[in-house]
Amino acid sequence: MSSYDAIILGAGAAGLMCAAVAGQRGRKVLLIDHADRPGKKILISGGGRCNFTNIHTAPDRFRSANPHFAKSALARYGPEDFLALVERYGIAWHEKTLGQLFCDGSARQIVDMLLEECAKGGVELRLGHPVSEVDHGDGRFRVSCGGSEAVAPALVIATGGPSIPKMGATGFAYDLARRFGLKVVEPRPGLVPLTLGGEDVLFRSLSGVAAEVVASADRIAFREAALFTHRGLSGPAILQISSYWQNGQPIEIDFLPDRASGWLVAEKQQRPRTTLRKLLGSALPDRLAETLAERLGIGAELGNSPDRALAEAERRLSAWTFHPNGTEGFAKAEVTTGGISTAELSSRTMEATRVPGLYAIGEGVDVTGWLGGYNFQWAWASGWAAGQAL
Ligand SMILES: Cc1cc2nc3c(=O)[nH]c(=O)nc-3n(C[C@H](O)[C@H](O)[C@H](O)COP(=O)(O)OP(=O)(O)OC[C@H]3O[C@@H](n4cnc5c(N)ncnc54)[C@H](O)[C@@H]3O)c2cc1C
């Protein structure tokens, strides 16, 4: 049996960061993953270019049962810290939009950088074997994996969430946390397309059409592109909203977020011969304009439509209500909302308050970022916080 200062389960974003930090602080670290390669989600992230952080990182861009929990870790390891690391490795990057930083080249550069950082800390990496057993006694954790056993006074749960199971994602973090008596906030697919049924099914014929909208639900709104799909709705605005959407809730879409109140009646006065279809066509993709005009039932020239009907059409265009009947599930979810409850974790070190030596970091914890590099920033920050404490 080999002994270590810390055993980290999961060589993803958070586990690699945590291992590198602890290793470089002189800790003897074993990093275990059942996958044959580390950082698989990093490799496929951001379309292969890894949206590795967001310069607008702030605690309100994360969802958690305790919105204050992420503050400490994010304040101590921010986007500028990760960016400094990226620059030390000479990795070229660019800001795409909304503060999202991507590699110019490939996500592989981020994985290589983290592996190099782990190597500098003498981290031992054990890949390709499932963890068969975890025991705890006398203040030590014993982990059996690939026919050998390792023991350490500290164990870090960094096995992520169950989104995209075909990438090797599992709910192992939750099973392990529960075994140690930690609570788990119901895990749900986040940053995931929504499916439409009922009356809304008619919109499926718009599959492939996208428009910039404001999507809102549960008192939060996102202005980004929405995309109609053959199953329902996707695109950044919808993915963002999906992390806040609850089953049975409607979502609202403002198709014309830049129009001032009363614009349609004003158009009628200025251009009585024009039609709603034409007006919508000047602001929205053609097929969408046609569908919306048809569904609003205003085919006549504006001059022949009562003001009341136009005001009602304007209202519906600014708050079009969809009733999603579900999501595309963990198979398509970029993240998992919910997870190991923060109530029993130290926000400074990520250590379980009632189980000394047990830590949880990354996506397995009930902290979920918005789309746009926030989830990696949480993985880096929580991994760094635990790495400092090990
Ligand atoms: C397609 C896609 C694109 C994404 N793009 C971005 C992006 O551009 N920017 C961004 O910020 N976020 C992105 N995300 C989200 C981001 O990848 C995750 O939030 C982040 O990887 C979480 O880090 P983690 O270390 O907690 O978990 P992971 O990176 O998922 O790592 C967990 C590790 O644990 C291992 N593991 C799981 N179960 C076990 C087990 N039982 N035993 C041993 N090992 C186990 C896994 O193999 C994995 O290596 C994307 C996600 C997906 C799916």
Side-chain angles (χ1 to χ4, degrees):
M1 183 175 340
S2 328
S3 85
Y4 298 86
D5 294 319
I7 301 171
I8 300 172
L9 304 180
L16 285 164
M17 172 59 89
C18 182
V21 170
Q24 289 183 26
R25 289 180 55 250
R27 302 295 178 268
K28 188 179 177 205
V29 177
L30 174 65
L31 178 58
I32 296 177
D33 203 295
H34 67 169
D36 53 0
R37 281 180 306 156
K40 275 190 173 178
K41 273 194 190 166
I42 302 176
L43 291 173
I44 60 158
S45 67
R49 291 224 160 85
C50 187
N51 177 193
F52 55 80
T53 193
N54 193 299
I55 54 172
H56 302 310
T57 295
D60 65 358
R61 277 137 201 251
F62 295 82
R63 184 174 189 168
S64 169
N66 175 2
H68 302 293
F69 182 81
K71 284 183 181 169
S72 166
L74 292 172
R76 287 192 301 140
Y77 192 89
E80 63 287 353
D81 296 305
F82 194 76
L83 191 54
L85 182 62
V86 165
E87 293 203 318
R88 271 207 301 284
Y89 276 76
I91 299 173
W93 57 274
H94 61 280
E95 179 183 342
K96 199 167 168 191
T97 173
L98 302 170
Q100 303 168 2
L101 305 192
F102 284 75
C103 298
D104 287 357
S106 151
R108 152 81 33 221
Q109 294 171 287
I110 299 292
V111 175
D112 289 346
M113 172 187 85
L114 292 167
L115 286 174
E116 175 84 30
E117 285 291 294
C118 283
K120 279 186 193 160
V123 173
E124 193 180 314
L125 201 53
R126 194 172 297 167
L127 298 173
H129 296 289
V131 173
S132 43
E133 229 182 291
V134 177
D135 286 323
H136 182 223
D138 305 326
R140 280 145 62 94
F141 297 86
R142 211 179 73 239
V143 176
S144 313
C145 165
S148 61
E149 277 193 352
V151 67
L155 180 73
V156 183
I157 306 175
T159 52
S163 53
I164 322 270
K166 71 167 193 253
M167 299 285 310
T170 67
F172 185 70
Y174 313 141
D175 302 339
L176 203 52
R178 285 194 188 100
R179 269 189 45 199
F180 284 103
L182 304 185
K183 292 201 178 66
V184 173
V185 177
E186 187 196 356
R188 296 191 310 123
L191 300 181
V192 64
L194 298 174
T195 55
L196 295 177
E199 281 249 304
D200 294 337
V201 147
L202 293 169
F203 280 91
R204 286 195 200 159
S205 63
L206 293 177
S207 181
V209 172
E212 186 180 322
V213 303
V214 171
S216 51
D218 200 15
R219 294 189 302 276
I220 190 152
F222 292 94
R223 182 175 181 150
E224 281 187 73
L227 169 73
F228 291 92
T229 71
H230 66 287
R231 294 191 63 189
L233 293 165
S234 187
I238 302 300
L239 299 181
Q240 300 278 33
I241 276 296
S242 73
S243 296
Y244 293 83
W245 178 78
Q246 306 279 344
N247 253 313
Q249 239 185 15
I251 65 164
E252 281 184 357
I253 293 206
D254 183 349
F255 283 110
L256 298 166
D258 292 324
R259 296 295 161 108
S261 165
W263 69 273
L264 198 47
V265 173
E267 287 284 359
K268 170 181 167 177
Q269 279 149 13
Q270 277 163 28
R271 295 194 279 163
R273 306 292 306 272
T274 196
T275 61
L276 180 62
R277 165 75 185 77
K278 271 196 203 139
L279 277 178
L280 293 179
S282 65
L284 295 168
D286 232 39
R287 280 161 64 202
L288 177 58
E290 193 177 324
T291 305
L292 292 174
E294 255 171 36
R295 302 215 74 196
L296 289 168
I298 297 185
E301 291 175 351
L302 293 188
N304 294 326
S305 304
D307 285 3
R308 203 174 8 87
L310 295 180
E312 172 59 9
E314 185 187 309
R315 189 198 62 73
R316 286 186 65 194
L317 285 166
S318 66
W320 200 281
T321 306
F322 288 94
H323 296 272
N325 59 6
T327 74
E328 292 196 25
F330 284 117
K332 293 282 164 61
E334 202 164 301
V335 287
T336 305
T337 65
I340 300 170
S341 169
T342 59
E344 289 150 306
L345 297 179
S346 152
S347 62
R348 192 171 168 79
T349 62
M350 307 292 137
E351 187 176 15
T353 42
R354 287 193 292 136
V355 190
L358 180 69
Y359 296 75
I361 56 174
E363 197 181 311
V365 176
D366 173 31
V367 174
T368 308
W370 287 3
L371 185 77
Y374 296 102
N375 285 294
F376 279 137
Q377 186 55 44
W378 169 246
W380 317 136
S382 58
W384 187 90
Q388 289 293 328
L390 288 171

